[in-house]
Amino acid sequence: MERNHHDVIVVGGGISGCFAAATAATAGLDVVQLERKPREQGGFIACGDAIKSPRDPQKYPGPIDMDAIADDESVLVDNNIDQIEYRDEQLGVRKILPYETGSNVVDRYEFGQRLLEQAAEHGVTQHYDTVVNEVTQNGRVTGVKAVRDGDPVSYEGSVVIDAAGAQSILQDMIEFETLETPSDPTFEVPHYTHFGSAYREIIETDEPVEYQNAIVGKPLEELGYIWYFPRTPTQINVGLGFQMNKPPIPLVDRLRRDVESRPEYGGATVAERFGTANKLGSAIALRRPLDSMVAPGYLATGGAAGTTHPITGKGIRGAAYSGYSAGRAAIEAIEDGDVSEAGLWEHNRWLYRDHGEAAKLASWDAYNVAASALEVNVLRALTALLPETELREIVGTSTEVESLSAKLLVGTGILKNFVAEYRRDTFDALGVSLGALSDAVLTVRKTRDYVGTYQKQYEAYPADPSTFDRWRADRDRIDQGFYDALELSPSEYKY
Ligand SMILES: Cc1cc2nc3c(=O)[nH]c(=O)nc-3n(C[C@H](O)[C@H](O)[C@H](O)COP(=O)(O)OP(=O)(O)OC[C@H]3O[C@@H](n4cnc5c(N)ncnc54)[C@H](O)[C@@H]3O)c2cc1C
C-alpha cells in the first residue's frame, strides 16, 4: 500500500476543506487535501447557492481571496439580490425582507473550482478520485486510509481535518471513546434527526422571472421549505428540504409538482452539467454547532461541525469561517507540539467566543426546536402574521429586535396583523384556532427569551476543556428549562 505523510490531512474538497487547507498551508505546513470526486467535478455540490456579503473578511476570513472570486464573472457574484421573499401562496401572503448588500446566488460549481484553485496556489497538495474509507487511530486520530484511483493508499499526519460535509463518514468510523482524553471525550456524533434532506435543480426559463432580485422561500406541508433562487433572471436554482425529525417528503416528485404548477416555469428545462441534468441532493445540518468540534488529532469543520444556520440551512459562510478556524488551530497545535484535545481547543474557543458566529447559530437553534414543536399549519399561520422585523431576526438577516419593549411588541404585532390584515376564515381553512395561534405567539415569546439565555451561555464557552463538563451541564439545564417551557415530552427533546 502506498504510504504518505503530511502535517495536516484535510478530508473534503468543499468550502470548509479549501478554507482549512489554504489557511494551514499559508503557515508553511505540508497539507494534503483529499476529495473523492475527480478534479473537474470538484465543487459540484448540492446547494441553493445563495451567498451573503462575499467580500466581508469577517464572514470569510483567511488567505482565500474572496474579492477575486467576487470579481469573477463565471461565479456570477454581481450583488443583484437585495431581498428575501416569504410567500404562502395558499394564504395570499407575501412578505419582503431586505437582504444584506453584496448578496447573490452564485454558480456553486465555478465557486468551488475557484476555491480549489486558490487552495492549490497556496501550496496545498490535492488528491482527487480519493475516497476515504477508514480512519486510523492510536490514542489520537493519526490518519486515514483511502482508495485512490482504485488503489489503496494511507495518509498519516499530525492532524486530520474533517471537512467531509454533513453526516461525515469519518465520524461514524472514529472510536471517540478510545481516544486519550483526560475525562470523557468532548466530541459527540450528532443524531440523524439533526439533519435535513435537501434537493435542487437548476432550471432555465424562457422569460426573466419577476423576482430576479429576490431569494424566495415558501412553506412545505412538513417542516421545511421550497426555494426559488435566481442565479440570473432566467436561470433559477429551485429546491426544497425538510428536517429528518419529520416524515419524509418525496423530494424529486414534490419539486416537479411545484415547478409544473408555476406559469413562469412553463417550457423551462433543467440545465446540464457534465452532459447530464444538473440535479443534486444531499444532507444538511439543521442543529446547533457541535458542543466540541475537536478530539485528539482531529478537528471537524463546516457541515461536519454543524456550522449551518439551523432554520434556513445556509452553511456556505459557516463552512468558510469554521474552515479557517480549523486551519488556524491546526497551525497553533502543531507549532506547540500538542495535538491533544486541549491543544486543538482553540478551534472551539475562537468560533464560540472570539468570532462569535457559532454562538449565534447555537442560540438561533432554539427557533428550530420551537418550530419542530408546532403543527405546520400553526407555524404557517404564525409566520404569516409575524411582523417583518421578527422574521428578519429568525432567518438571520437582522438582530434589531433587541430591547424589551420590542420583544413585547412581537406578540402584539402578530395579533394586530391578525385583526388588520387577514380574514379569520383563511385560518379556519388551515384548521388553526385562535387558541392555537395564541399559544404559538406565547411559544415565540418564550423562545426569544431562551435565544438570549443561550447566547449568554455560549459567549461564556470554556477557554479550555477543563471546565467543559460544567459548562455543558449548565447548558443542558437551559435545554431542560426550554423544553419544559414549551411543554415538550422527552420523545420531542432535540438533544
Ligand atoms: C440542497 C442544499 C441546498 C443548500 N443551499 C444553501 C444555500 O443556498 N446557501 C448556503 O449558504 N448554504 C446552503 N446549503 C448548505 C451548504 O451547501 C453547506 O453548508 C456547505 O456546502 C458545507 O460545506 P462543507 O465544505 O462543510 O461540506 P461540503 O460542501 O458538503 O463538502 C464536502 C466535500 O467532502 C467530500 N467528501 C465527503 N466524504 C468524502 C470521503 N469519504 N472521501 C473523500 N471526500 C469526501 C465531498 O465530495 C465534498 O466535496 C445547502 C445544502 C444543500 C444540501
Side-chain angles (χ1 to χ4, degrees):
M1 181 190 292
E2 183 190 319
R3 289 181 184 281
N4 292 275
H5 192 281
H6 301 268
D7 296 324
V8 178
I9 301 158
V10 177
V11 181
I15 298 162
S16 61
C18 290
F19 272 75
T23 303
T26 310
L29 294 179
D30 173 7
V31 182
V32 68
Q33 184 176 22
L34 312 179
E35 171 53 53
R36 63 185 168 194
K37 293 177 195 156
R39 172 72 188 88
E40 67 280 6
Q41 289 190 17
F44 184 51
I45 274 167
C47 192
D49 306 343
I51 184 172
K52 233 194 227 180
S53 310
R55 295 176 194 272
D56 182 342
Q58 170 74 3
K59 294 183 167 76
Y60 298 88
I64 295 282
D65 183 351
M66 287 295 286
D67 278 336
I69 288 174
D71 287 341
D72 187 325
E73 282 180 13
S74 69
V75 184
L76 295 178
V77 180
D78 60 4
N79 303 336
N80 66 338
I81 300 290
D82 59 13
Q83 62 190 48
I84 301 181
E85 268 191 50
Y86 171 80
R87 292 185 181 187
D88 192 326
E89 286 159 347
Q90 190 193 348
L91 297 184
V93 170
R94 191 167 172 184
K95 294 196 174 231
I96 297 185
L97 318 176
Y99 203 44
E100 281 174 33
T101 51
S103 303
N104 210 315
V105 182
V106 292
D107 183 318
R108 180 69 184 78
Y109 168 67
E110 294 293 345
F111 178 41
Q113 285 279 312
R114 295 300 92 74
L115 291 175
L116 288 163
E117 284 160 20
Q118 284 204 30
E121 282 159 20
H122 281 99
V124 174
T125 304
Q126 292 169 327
H127 288 181
Y128 292 93
D129 298 296
T130 304
V131 184
V132 171
N133 56 14
E134 198 179 323
V135 177
T136 53
Q137 59 183 81
N138 175 16
R140 71 168 178 89
V141 172
T142 54
V144 297
K145 290 187 178 168
V147 174
R148 184 177 179 208
D149 287 327
D151 294 322
V153 52
S154 77
Y155 297 86
E156 285 165 12
S158 302
V159 174
V160 170
I161 298 183
D162 180 357
Q167 294 195 306
S168 159
I169 191 172
L170 272 69
Q171 292 170 12
D172 292 337
M173 297 189 294
I174 298 171
E175 291 172 16
F176 288 99
E177 62 291 350
T178 66
L179 298 175
E180 281 168 13
T181 49
S183 52
D184 289 342
T186 59
F187 193 94
E188 278 182 43
V189 179
H191 194 258
Y192 82 92
T193 52
H194 298 166
F195 295 91
S197 184
Y199 169 78
R200 69 99 180 103
E201 298 180 358
I202 308 295
I203 61 170
E204 285 168 340
T205 60
D206 293 336
E207 299 293 329
V209 293
E210 151 260 328
Y211 41 84
Q212 54 192 268
N213 65 324
I215 57 175
V216 179
K218 56 179 215 176
L220 274 169
E221 45 281 6
E222 276 300 343
L223 188 61
Y225 67 101
I226 295 190
W227 68 79
Y228 316 126
F229 292 176
R231 260 185 198 183
T232 71
T234 55
Q235 195 179 67
I236 323 296
N237 181 318
V238 294
L240 74 178
F242 71 96
Q243 186 149 0
M244 291 191 213
N245 61 353
K246 299 288 177 188
I249 292 174
L251 295 176
V252 180
D253 293 347
R254 182 67 186 81
L255 186 65
R256 270 293 98 221
R257 197 147 49 89
D258 189 80
V259 166
E260 282 165 13
S261 72
R262 306 198 66 77
E264 75 268 30
Y265 295 155
T269 50
V270 180
E272 290 204 348
R273 185 76 85 181
F274 307 116
T276 55
N278 195 343
K279 307 171 172 183
L280 284 174
S282 186
I284 191 167
L286 290 171
R287 53 157 292 141
R288 57 192 175 204
L290 301 186
D291 291 348
S292 168
M293 307 172 225
V294 311
Y298 171 87
L299 293 157
T301 175
T307 54
T308 318
H309 193 296
I311 298 288
T312 63
K314 296 209 176 95
I316 292 178
R317 180 171 21 141
Y321 62 69
S322 69
Y324 163 73
S325 170
R328 183 179 168 276
I331 298 166
E332 277 192 26
I334 291 171
E335 281 174 1
D336 294 348
D338 177 8
V339 297
S340 69
E341 190 181 68
L344 293 168
W345 198 258
E346 177 61 10
H347 182 43
N348 290 330
R349 197 201 62 80
W350 188 83
L351 282 172
Y352 279 120
R353 286 177 61 153
D354 283 9
H355 189 257
E357 280 286 319
K360 277 192 200 162
L361 293 180
S363 36
W364 274 323
D365 182 57
Y367 286 120
N368 176 293
V369 174
S372 294
L374 292 171
E375 292 284 325
V376 163
N377 281 357
V378 175
L379 193 62
R380 282 172 61 190
L382 186 70
T383 314
L385 296 172
L386 270 176
E388 266 90 347
T389 42
E390 179 79 353
L391 256 189
R392 283 179 72 192
E393 191 190 67
I394 294 172
V395 298
T397 62
S398 149
T399 49
E400 66 193 33
V401 193
E402 291 295 353
S403 71
L404 182 64
S405 57
K407 277 186 197 175
L408 294 176
L409 273 175
V410 167
T412 327
I414 291 173
L415 294 177
K416 230 166 81 189
N417 281 348
F418 181 81
V419 174
E421 288 184 38
Y422 300 107
R423 288 186 12 247
R424 179 72 199 282
D425 53 4
T426 312
F427 294 97
D428 286 344
L430 281 177
V432 176
S433 68
L434 198 55
L437 194 64
S438 316
D439 289 349
V441 171
L442 213 67
T443 297
V444 176
R445 279 196 184 171
K446 288 178 193 161
T447 306
R448 289 204 93 272
D449 288 342
Y450 270 92
V451 168
T453 310
Y454 279 115
Q455 174 87 28
K456 281 201 194 81
Q457 178 66 8
Y458 278 91
E459 282 167 1
Y461 188 88
D464 62 61
S466 65
T467 54
F468 176 76
D469 283 346
R470 207 171 61 221
W471 176 88
R472 184 160 55 184
D474 289 344
R475 198 281 320 277
D476 289 350
R477 270 190 286 280
I478 300 174
D479 281 350
Q480 191 59 54
F482 184 41
Y483 299 152
D484 291 347
L486 298 187
E487 297 176 21
L488 300 185
S489 63
S491 65
E492 294 172 302
Y493 295 175
K494 185 167 178 182
Y495 301 101

